Structures are given as structure tokens and as C-alpha cells.
PDB file of all heavy atoms in Angstrom:
ATOM      1  N   TYR A 104      61.072  28.048  28.126  1.00 95.00           N
ATOM      2  CA  TYR A 104      60.538  26.863  27.523  1.00 95.00           C
ATOM      3  C   TYR A 104      59.206  27.172  26.944  1.00 95.00           C
ATOM      4  O   TYR A 104      58.816  26.718  25.813  1.00 95.00           O
ATOM      5  CB  TYR A 104      60.443  25.689  28.500  1.00 95.00           C
ATOM      6  CG  TYR A 104      61.832  25.111  28.874  1.00 95.00           C
ATOM      7  CD1 TYR A 104      61.928  24.409  30.093  1.00 95.00           C
ATOM      8  CD2 TYR A 104      62.870  25.113  28.062  1.00 95.00           C
ATOM      9  CE1 TYR A 104      63.184  23.908  30.414  1.00 95.00           C
ATOM     10  CE2 TYR A 104      64.088  24.534  28.359  1.00 95.00           C
ATOM     11  CZ  TYR A 104      64.304  23.891  29.503  1.00 95.00           C
ATOM     12  OH  TYR A 104      65.436  23.320  29.839  1.00 95.00           O
ATOM     13  N   ASP A 105      58.349  27.873  27.696  1.00 95.00           N
ATOM     14  CA  ASP A 105      56.991  28.206  27.159  1.00 95.00           C
ATOM     15  C   ASP A 105      57.037  29.066  25.934  1.00 95.00           C
ATOM     16  O   ASP A 105      56.285  28.918  25.035  1.00 95.00           O
ATOM     17  CB  ASP A 105      56.252  29.005  28.284  1.00 95.00           C
ATOM     18  CG  ASP A 105      55.801  28.129  29.481  1.00 95.00           C
ATOM     19  OD1 ASP A 105      55.755  26.901  29.358  1.00 95.00           O
ATOM     20  OD2 ASP A 105      55.498  28.665  30.576  1.00 95.00           O
ATOM     21  N   PHE A 106      58.024  29.965  25.904  1.00 97.00           N
ATOM     22  CA  PHE A 106      58.202  30.817  24.707  1.00 97.00           C
ATOM     23  C   PHE A 106      58.616  30.005  23.512  1.00 97.00           C
ATOM     24  O   PHE A 106      58.161  30.257  22.436  1.00 97.00           O
ATOM     25  CB  PHE A 106      59.330  31.868  25.072  1.00 97.00           C
ATOM     26  CG  PHE A 106      59.655  32.807  23.934  1.00 97.00           C
ATOM     27  CD1 PHE A 106      58.830  33.906  23.697  1.00 97.00           C
ATOM     28  CD2 PHE A 106      60.764  32.555  23.057  1.00 97.00           C
ATOM     29  CE1 PHE A 106      59.173  34.759  22.660  1.00 97.00           C
ATOM     30  CE2 PHE A 106      61.095  33.378  22.082  1.00 97.00           C
ATOM     31  CZ  PHE A 106      60.232  34.472  21.805  1.00 97.00           C
ATOM     32  N   ILE A 107      59.461  29.043  23.765  1.00 96.00           N
ATOM     33  CA  ILE A 107      59.932  28.136  22.646  1.00 96.00           C
ATOM     34  C   ILE A 107      58.736  27.380  22.078  1.00 96.00           C
ATOM     35  O   ILE A 107      58.505  27.337  20.812  1.00 96.00           O
ATOM     36  CB  ILE A 107      60.936  27.144  23.069  1.00 96.00           C
ATOM     37  CG1 ILE A 107      62.323  27.845  23.410  1.00 96.00           C
ATOM     38  CG2 ILE A 107      61.211  26.034  22.059  1.00 96.00           C
ATOM     39  CD1 ILE A 107      63.359  27.010  24.099  1.00 96.00           C
ATOM     40  N   LEU A 108      57.869  26.801  22.890  1.00 94.00           N
ATOM     41  CA  LEU A 108      56.697  26.055  22.382  1.00 94.00           C
ATOM     42  C   LEU A 108      55.688  27.035  21.658  1.00 94.00           C
ATOM     43  O   LEU A 108      55.082  26.651  20.599  1.00 94.00           O
ATOM     44  CB  LEU A 108      56.004  25.383  23.561  1.00 94.00           C
ATOM     45  CG  LEU A 108      56.604  24.187  24.153  1.00 94.00           C
ATOM     46  CD1 LEU A 108      55.808  23.683  25.362  1.00 94.00           C
ATOM     47  CD2 LEU A 108      56.743  23.090  23.138  1.00 94.00           C
ATOM     48  N   LYS A 109      55.562  28.261  22.159  1.00 96.00           N
ATOM     49  CA  LYS A 109      54.707  29.185  21.562  1.00 96.00           C
ATOM     50  C   LYS A 109      55.174  29.575  20.114  1.00 96.00           C
ATOM     51  O   LYS A 109      54.472  29.635  19.201  1.00 96.00           O
ATOM     52  CB  LYS A 109      54.555  30.437  22.426  1.00 96.00           C
ATOM     53  CG  LYS A 109      53.375  31.326  22.017  1.00 96.00           C
ATOM     54  CD  LYS A 109      53.067  32.371  23.160  1.00 96.00           C
ATOM     55  CE  LYS A 109      51.840  33.162  22.815  1.00 96.00           C
ATOM     56  NZ  LYS A 109      51.495  34.091  23.960  1.00 96.00           N
ATOM     57  N   CYS A 110      56.556  29.868  20.008  1.00 96.00           N
ATOM     58  CA  CYS A 110      57.067  30.199  18.701  1.00 96.00           C
ATOM     59  C   CYS A 110      56.893  28.989  17.767  1.00 96.00           C
ATOM     60  O   CYS A 110      56.706  29.218  16.581  1.00 96.00           O
ATOM     61  CB  CYS A 110      58.535  30.493  18.929  1.00 96.00           C
ATOM     62  SG  CYS A 110      58.854  32.159  19.615  1.00 96.00           S
ATOM     63  N   HIS A 111      57.180  27.830  18.332  1.00 94.00           N
ATOM     64  CA  HIS A 111      57.044  26.578  17.466  1.00 94.00           C
ATOM     65  C   HIS A 111      55.573  26.497  16.870  1.00 94.00           C
ATOM     66  O   HIS A 111      55.448  26.214  15.660  1.00 94.00           O
ATOM     67  CB  HIS A 111      57.337  25.402  18.343  1.00 94.00           C
ATOM     68  CG  HIS A 111      57.341  24.126  17.564  1.00 94.00           C
ATOM     69  ND1 HIS A 111      58.443  23.689  16.759  1.00 94.00           N
ATOM     70  CD2 HIS A 111      56.505  23.044  17.443  1.00 94.00           C
ATOM     71  CE1 HIS A 111      58.211  22.504  16.222  1.00 94.00           C
ATOM     72  NE2 HIS A 111      57.085  22.120  16.624  1.00 94.00           N
ATOM     73  N   PHE A 112      54.586  26.781  17.725  1.00 95.00           N
ATOM     74  CA  PHE A 112      53.237  26.650  17.311  1.00 95.00           C
ATOM     75  C   PHE A 112      52.908  27.795  16.198  1.00 95.00           C
ATOM     76  O   PHE A 112      52.384  27.522  15.193  1.00 95.00           O
ATOM     77  CB  PHE A 112      52.306  26.871  18.440  1.00 95.00           C
ATOM     78  CG  PHE A 112      50.875  27.120  18.092  1.00 95.00           C
ATOM     79  CD1 PHE A 112      50.043  26.029  17.868  1.00 95.00           C
ATOM     80  CD2 PHE A 112      50.354  28.427  17.977  1.00 95.00           C
ATOM     81  CE1 PHE A 112      48.630  26.249  17.509  1.00 95.00           C
ATOM     82  CE2 PHE A 112      49.034  28.607  17.631  1.00 95.00           C
ATOM     83  CZ  PHE A 112      48.189  27.539  17.386  1.00 95.00           C
ATOM     84  N   PHE A 113      53.359  29.044  16.471  1.00 97.00           N
ATOM     85  CA  PHE A 113      53.041  30.058  15.597  1.00 97.00           C
ATOM     86  C   PHE A 113      53.794  30.058  14.251  1.00 97.00           C
ATOM     87  O   PHE A 113      53.281  30.465  13.144  1.00 97.00           O
ATOM     88  CB  PHE A 113      53.253  31.450  16.317  1.00 97.00           C
ATOM     89  CG  PHE A 113      52.071  31.876  17.031  1.00 97.00           C
ATOM     90  CD1 PHE A 113      52.030  31.592  18.463  1.00 97.00           C
ATOM     91  CD2 PHE A 113      50.917  32.419  16.494  1.00 97.00           C
ATOM     92  CE1 PHE A 113      50.975  31.871  19.255  1.00 97.00           C
ATOM     93  CE2 PHE A 113      49.766  32.763  17.304  1.00 97.00           C
ATOM     94  CZ  PHE A 113      49.811  32.500  18.635  1.00 97.00           C
ATOM     95  N   TYR A 114      54.987  29.469  14.302  1.00 96.00           N
ATOM     96  CA  TYR A 114      55.667  29.195  12.998  1.00 96.00           C
ATOM     97  C   TYR A 114      54.858  28.312  12.150  1.00 96.00           C
ATOM     98  O   TYR A 114      54.571  28.663  10.982  1.00 96.00           O
ATOM     99  CB  TYR A 114      57.009  28.538  13.277  1.00 96.00           C
ATOM    100  CG  TYR A 114      57.680  28.000  12.041  1.00 96.00           C
ATOM    101  CD1 TYR A 114      58.292  28.894  11.141  1.00 96.00           C
ATOM    102  CD2 TYR A 114      57.579  26.687  11.732  1.00 96.00           C
ATOM    103  CE1 TYR A 114      58.834  28.323   9.931  1.00 96.00           C
ATOM    104  CE2 TYR A 114      58.080  26.121  10.531  1.00 96.00           C
ATOM    105  CZ  TYR A 114      58.680  26.987   9.704  1.00 96.00           C
ATOM    106  OH  TYR A 114      59.258  26.399   8.492  1.00 96.00           O
ATOM    107  N   HIS A 115      54.340  27.184  12.655  1.00 94.00           N
ATOM    108  CA  HIS A 115      53.568  26.303  11.897  1.00 94.00           C
ATOM    109  C   HIS A 115      52.175  26.801  11.546  1.00 94.00           C
ATOM    110  O   HIS A 115      51.644  26.516  10.446  1.00 94.00           O
ATOM    111  CB  HIS A 115      53.482  24.848  12.577  1.00 94.00           C
ATOM    112  CG  HIS A 115      54.705  24.177  12.632  1.00 94.00           C
ATOM    113  ND1 HIS A 115      55.312  23.603  11.472  1.00 94.00           N
ATOM    114  CD2 HIS A 115      55.591  23.791  13.631  1.00 94.00           C
ATOM    115  CE1 HIS A 115      56.476  22.990  11.762  1.00 94.00           C
ATOM    116  NE2 HIS A 115      56.629  23.157  13.106  1.00 94.00           N
ATOM    117  N   LEU A 116      51.661  27.572  12.421  1.00 96.00           N
ATOM    118  CA  LEU A 116      50.346  28.200  12.194  1.00 96.00           C
ATOM    119  C   LEU A 116      50.420  29.196  10.877  1.00 96.00           C
ATOM    120  O   LEU A 116      49.675  29.035   9.944  1.00 96.00           O
ATOM    121  CB  LEU A 116      49.908  29.056  13.312  1.00 96.00           C
ATOM    122  CG  LEU A 116      48.575  29.733  13.198  1.00 96.00           C
ATOM    123  CD1 LEU A 116      47.358  28.723  13.261  1.00 96.00           C
ATOM    124  CD2 LEU A 116      48.298  30.856  14.260  1.00 96.00           C
ATOM    125  N   ILE A 117      51.455  29.979  10.909  1.00 97.00           N
ATOM    126  CA  ILE A 117      51.633  30.861   9.760  1.00 97.00           C
ATOM    127  C   ILE A 117      52.042  30.125   8.548  1.00 97.00           C
ATOM    128  O   ILE A 117      51.608  30.560   7.409  1.00 97.00           O
ATOM    129  CB  ILE A 117      52.755  31.944  10.100  1.00 97.00           C
ATOM    130  CG1 ILE A 117      52.320  32.777  11.289  1.00 97.00           C
ATOM    131  CG2 ILE A 117      53.096  32.915   8.871  1.00 97.00           C
ATOM    132  CD1 ILE A 117      53.456  33.643  11.945  1.00 97.00           C
ATOM    133  N   GLN A 118      52.804  29.078   8.631  1.00 95.00           N
ATOM    134  CA  GLN A 118      53.102  28.283   7.487  1.00 95.00           C
ATOM    135  C   GLN A 118      51.937  27.721   6.858  1.00 95.00           C
ATOM    136  O   GLN A 118      51.759  27.757   5.615  1.00 95.00           O
ATOM    137  CB  GLN A 118      54.085  27.142   7.898  1.00 95.00           C
ATOM    138  CG  GLN A 118      54.583  26.300   6.701  1.00 95.00           C
ATOM    139  CD  GLN A 118      55.577  25.288   7.171  1.00 95.00           C
ATOM    140  OE1 GLN A 118      55.266  24.326   8.029  1.00 95.00           O
ATOM    141  NE2 GLN A 118      56.793  25.260   6.703  1.00 95.00           N
ATOM    142  N   ASN A 119      50.990  27.164   7.602  1.00 95.00           N
ATOM    143  CA  ASN A 119      49.788  26.571   7.069  1.00 95.00           C
ATOM    144  C   ASN A 119      48.902  27.705   6.525  1.00 95.00           C
ATOM    145  O   ASN A 119      48.199  27.462   5.448  1.00 95.00           O
ATOM    146  CB  ASN A 119      49.115  25.747   8.180  1.00 95.00           C
ATOM    147  CG  ASN A 119      49.605  24.346   8.200  1.00 95.00           C
ATOM    148  OD1 ASN A 119      49.294  23.410   7.519  1.00 95.00           O
ATOM    149  ND2 ASN A 119      50.559  24.155   9.198  1.00 95.00           N
ATOM    150  N   PHE A 120      48.868  28.874   7.123  1.00 97.00           N
ATOM    151  CA  PHE A 120      48.084  29.938   6.566  1.00 97.00           C
ATOM    152  C   PHE A 120      48.561  30.306   5.187  1.00 97.00           C
ATOM    153  O   PHE A 120      47.814  30.552   4.255  1.00 97.00           O
ATOM    154  CB  PHE A 120      48.197  31.132   7.560  1.00 97.00           C
ATOM    155  CG  PHE A 120      47.507  32.406   7.085  1.00 97.00           C
ATOM    156  CD1 PHE A 120      46.185  32.453   6.814  1.00 97.00           C
ATOM    157  CD2 PHE A 120      48.340  33.518   6.795  1.00 97.00           C
ATOM    158  CE1 PHE A 120      45.599  33.610   6.383  1.00 97.00           C
ATOM    159  CE2 PHE A 120      47.744  34.672   6.358  1.00 97.00           C
ATOM    160  CZ  PHE A 120      46.360  34.766   6.129  1.00 97.00           C
ATOM    161  N   LEU A 121      49.881  30.306   5.123  1.00 96.00           N
ATOM    162  CA  LEU A 121      50.468  30.694   3.768  1.00 96.00           C
ATOM    163  C   LEU A 121      50.104  29.662   2.718  1.00 96.00           C
ATOM    164  O   LEU A 121      49.732  29.997   1.565  1.00 96.00           O
ATOM    165  CB  LEU A 121      52.032  30.785   3.962  1.00 96.00           C
ATOM    166  CG  LEU A 121      52.819  30.912   2.615  1.00 96.00           C
ATOM    167  CD1 LEU A 121      52.352  32.161   1.817  1.00 96.00           C
ATOM    168  CD2 LEU A 121      54.291  31.007   2.947  1.00 96.00           C
ATOM    169  N   TRP A 122      50.142  28.343   3.076  1.00 95.00           N
ATOM    170  CA  TRP A 122      49.796  27.323   2.165  1.00 95.00           C
ATOM    171  C   TRP A 122      48.290  27.441   1.749  1.00 95.00           C
ATOM    172  O   TRP A 122      47.937  27.166   0.581  1.00 95.00           O
ATOM    173  CB  TRP A 122      50.080  25.967   2.749  1.00 95.00           C
ATOM    174  CG  TRP A 122      51.482  25.596   2.864  1.00 95.00           C
ATOM    175  CD1 TRP A 122      52.471  26.221   2.158  1.00 95.00           C
ATOM    176  CD2 TRP A 122      52.097  24.565   3.684  1.00 95.00           C
ATOM    177  NE1 TRP A 122      53.713  25.650   2.556  1.00 95.00           N
ATOM    178  CE2 TRP A 122      53.494  24.607   3.435  1.00 95.00           C
ATOM    179  CE3 TRP A 122      51.556  23.611   4.581  1.00 95.00           C
ATOM    180  CZ2 TRP A 122      54.326  23.771   4.022  1.00 95.00           C
ATOM    181  CZ3 TRP A 122      52.505  22.742   5.186  1.00 95.00           C
ATOM    182  CH2 TRP A 122      53.862  22.833   4.924  1.00 95.00           C
ATOM    183  N   VAL A 123      47.443  27.797   2.714  1.00 96.00           N
ATOM    184  CA  VAL A 123      46.009  27.924   2.402  1.00 96.00           C
ATOM    185  C   VAL A 123      45.825  29.108   1.413  1.00 96.00           C
ATOM    186  O   VAL A 123      45.175  28.886   0.290  1.00 96.00           O
ATOM    187  CB  VAL A 123      45.217  28.172   3.655  1.00 96.00           C
ATOM    188  CG1 VAL A 123      43.686  28.546   3.328  1.00 96.00           C
ATOM    189  CG2 VAL A 123      45.168  26.822   4.487  1.00 96.00           C
ATOM    190  N   ILE A 124      46.301  30.278   1.729  1.00 96.00           N
ATOM    191  CA  ILE A 124      45.984  31.462   0.912  1.00 96.00           C
ATOM    192  C   ILE A 124      46.694  31.428  -0.400  1.00 96.00           C
ATOM    193  O   ILE A 124      46.208  32.091  -1.392  1.00 96.00           O
ATOM    194  CB  ILE A 124      46.296  32.772   1.612  1.00 96.00           C
ATOM    195  CG1 ILE A 124      47.767  32.937   1.876  1.00 96.00           C
ATOM    196  CG2 ILE A 124      45.503  32.769   2.915  1.00 96.00           C
ATOM    197  CD1 ILE A 124      48.133  34.306   2.444  1.00 96.00           C
ATOM    198  N   SER A 125      47.834  30.739  -0.496  1.00 95.00           N
ATOM    199  CA  SER A 125      48.513  30.636  -1.817  1.00 95.00           C
ATOM    200  C   SER A 125      48.114  29.481  -2.642  1.00 95.00           C
ATOM    201  O   SER A 125      48.563  29.402  -3.777  1.00 95.00           O
ATOM    202  CB  SER A 125      50.013  30.492  -1.521  1.00 95.00           C
ATOM    203  OG  SER A 125      50.396  29.284  -0.912  1.00 95.00           O
ATOM    204  N   GLY A 126      47.157  28.632  -2.255  1.00 92.00           N
ATOM    205  CA  GLY A 126      46.764  27.455  -2.919  1.00 92.00           C
ATOM    206  C   GLY A 126      47.852  26.438  -3.184  1.00 92.00           C
ATOM    207  O   GLY A 126      47.899  25.831  -4.222  1.00 92.00           O
ATOM    208  N   SER A 127      48.676  26.313  -2.139  1.00 84.00           N
ATOM    209  CA  SER A 127      49.748  25.382  -2.230  1.00 84.00           C
ATOM    210  C   SER A 127      49.311  23.960  -2.599  1.00 84.00           C
ATOM    211  O   SER A 127      48.278  23.505  -2.075  1.00 84.00           O
ATOM    212  CB  SER A 127      50.600  25.363  -0.938  1.00 84.00           C
ATOM    213  OG  SER A 127      51.509  24.297  -0.889  1.00 84.00           O
ATOM    214  N   PRO A 128      49.999  23.194  -3.419  1.00 74.00           N
ATOM    215  CA  PRO A 128      49.664  21.834  -3.679  1.00 74.00           C
ATOM    216  C   PRO A 128      49.931  20.880  -2.555  1.00 74.00           C
ATOM    217  O   PRO A 128      49.579  19.741  -2.628  1.00 74.00           O
ATOM    218  CB  PRO A 128      50.483  21.515  -4.963  1.00 74.00           C
ATOM    219  CG  PRO A 128      51.717  22.374  -4.764  1.00 74.00           C
ATOM    220  CD  PRO A 128      51.206  23.703  -4.181  1.00 74.00           C
ATOM    221  N   LYS A 129      50.605  21.342  -1.501  1.00 76.00           N
ATOM    222  CA  LYS A 129      50.914  20.524  -0.375  1.00 76.00           C
ATOM    223  C   LYS A 129      49.614  19.969   0.241  1.00 76.00           C
ATOM    224  O   LYS A 129      48.633  20.670   0.371  1.00 76.00           O
ATOM    225  CB  LYS A 129      51.784  21.245   0.674  1.00 76.00           C
ATOM    226  CG  LYS A 129      53.162  21.597   0.245  1.00 76.00           C
ATOM    227  CD  LYS A 129      53.936  22.248   1.304  1.00 76.00           C
ATOM    228  CE  LYS A 129      55.420  22.550   0.831  1.00 76.00           C
ATOM    229  NZ  LYS A 129      56.190  21.433   0.713  1.00 76.00           N
ATOM    230  N   LYS A 130      49.637  18.749   0.726  1.00 78.00           N
ATOM    231  CA  LYS A 130      48.523  18.103   1.371  1.00 78.00           C
ATOM    232  C   LYS A 130      48.440  18.660   2.760  1.00 78.00           C
ATOM    233  O   LYS A 130      49.329  18.420   3.617  1.00 78.00           O
ATOM    234  CB  LYS A 130      48.639  16.583   1.370  1.00 78.00           C
ATOM    235  CG  LYS A 130      47.462  15.907   1.890  1.00 78.00           C
ATOM    236  CD  LYS A 130      47.534  14.399   1.819  1.00 78.00           C
ATOM    237  CE  LYS A 130      46.333  13.675   2.470  1.00 78.00           C
ATOM    238  NZ  LYS A 130      46.493  12.232   2.300  1.00 78.00           N
ATOM    239  N   ILE A 131      47.410  19.363   3.048  1.00 84.00           N
ATOM    240  CA  ILE A 131      47.230  19.908   4.442  1.00 84.00           C
ATOM    241  C   ILE A 131      45.945  19.387   5.034  1.00 84.00           C
ATOM    242  O   ILE A 131      45.061  18.820   4.391  1.00 84.00           O
ATOM    243  CB  ILE A 131      47.197  21.465   4.432  1.00 84.00           C
ATOM    244  CG1 ILE A 131      46.043  22.011   3.574  1.00 84.00           C
ATOM    245  CG2 ILE A 131      48.595  22.006   3.918  1.00 84.00           C
ATOM    246  CD1 ILE A 131      46.010  23.502   3.632  1.00 84.00           C
ATOM    247  N   HIS A 132      45.890  19.591   6.353  1.00 84.00           N
ATOM    248  CA  HIS A 132      44.635  19.087   7.129  1.00 84.00           C
ATOM    249  C   HIS A 132      43.402  19.749   6.576  1.00 84.00           C
ATOM    250  O   HIS A 132      43.422  20.950   6.257  1.00 84.00           O
ATOM    251  CB  HIS A 132      44.894  19.419   8.602  1.00 84.00           C
ATOM    252  CG  HIS A 132      43.935  18.647   9.424  1.00 84.00           C
ATOM    253  ND1 HIS A 132      42.623  18.945   9.599  1.00 84.00           N
ATOM    254  CD2 HIS A 132      44.139  17.476  10.224  1.00 84.00           C
ATOM    255  CE1 HIS A 132      42.016  18.097  10.438  1.00 84.00           C
ATOM    256  NE2 HIS A 132      42.914  17.181  10.828  1.00 84.00           N
ATOM    257  N   GLU A 133      42.383  19.081   6.510  1.00 90.00           N
ATOM    258  CA  GLU A 133      41.132  19.528   5.937  1.00 90.00           C
ATOM    259  C   GLU A 133      40.495  20.710   6.806  1.00 90.00           C
ATOM    260  O   GLU A 133      39.690  21.476   6.284  1.00 90.00           O
ATOM    261  CB  GLU A 133      40.087  18.450   5.904  1.00 90.00           C
ATOM    262  CG  GLU A 133      39.799  17.902   7.250  1.00 90.00           C
ATOM    263  CD  GLU A 133      38.757  16.665   7.080  1.00 90.00           C
ATOM    264  OE1 GLU A 133      38.532  16.188   5.931  1.00 90.00           O
ATOM    265  OE2 GLU A 133      38.303  16.241   8.135  1.00 90.00           O
ATOM    266  N   LEU A 134      40.928  20.873   8.029  1.00 92.00           N
ATOM    267  CA  LEU A 134      40.347  22.015   8.800  1.00 92.00           C
ATOM    268  C   LEU A 134      41.072  23.333   8.561  1.00 92.00           C
ATOM    269  O   LEU A 134      40.546  24.337   9.045  1.00 92.00           O
ATOM    270  CB  LEU A 134      40.524  21.577  10.374  1.00 92.00           C
ATOM    271  CG  LEU A 134      39.648  20.497  10.854  1.00 92.00           C
ATOM    272  CD1 LEU A 134      39.978  20.217  12.293  1.00 92.00           C
ATOM    273  CD2 LEU A 134      38.129  20.833  10.718  1.00 92.00           C
TER     274      LEU A 134
END
């Protein structure tokens, strides 16, 4: 269960990283 939560977090972390560095038009959190 801990592994599932950790994977869930890192999936979304990398997704947002991709959106930041690619200049995605998606609305993301200001932080």
C-alpha cells in the first residue's frame, strides 16, 4: 500500500515537472 501511494505521488510529480519545462498551457499550481 505504501508503494502504491509513493508511485501515485511520483507519477503526478513527474507529470507536473513535464508541464513546467515544456511550457504546457495546462493550468497548474503557482508553486
Side-chain angles (χ1 to χ4, degrees):
Y104 286 156
D105 289 341
F106 179 82
I107 290 171
L108 286 178
K109 195 168 188 179
C110 287
H111 187 77
F112 170 84
F113 277 96
Y114 167 79
H115 288 293
L116 181 74
I117 298 167
Q118 183 178 61
N119 278 276
F120 174 64
L121 173 57
W122 287 345
V123 168
I124 67 175
S125 65
S127 169
K129 291 182 180 292
K130 185 178 181 181
I131 60 176
H132 195 285
E133 60 185 9
L134 289 178

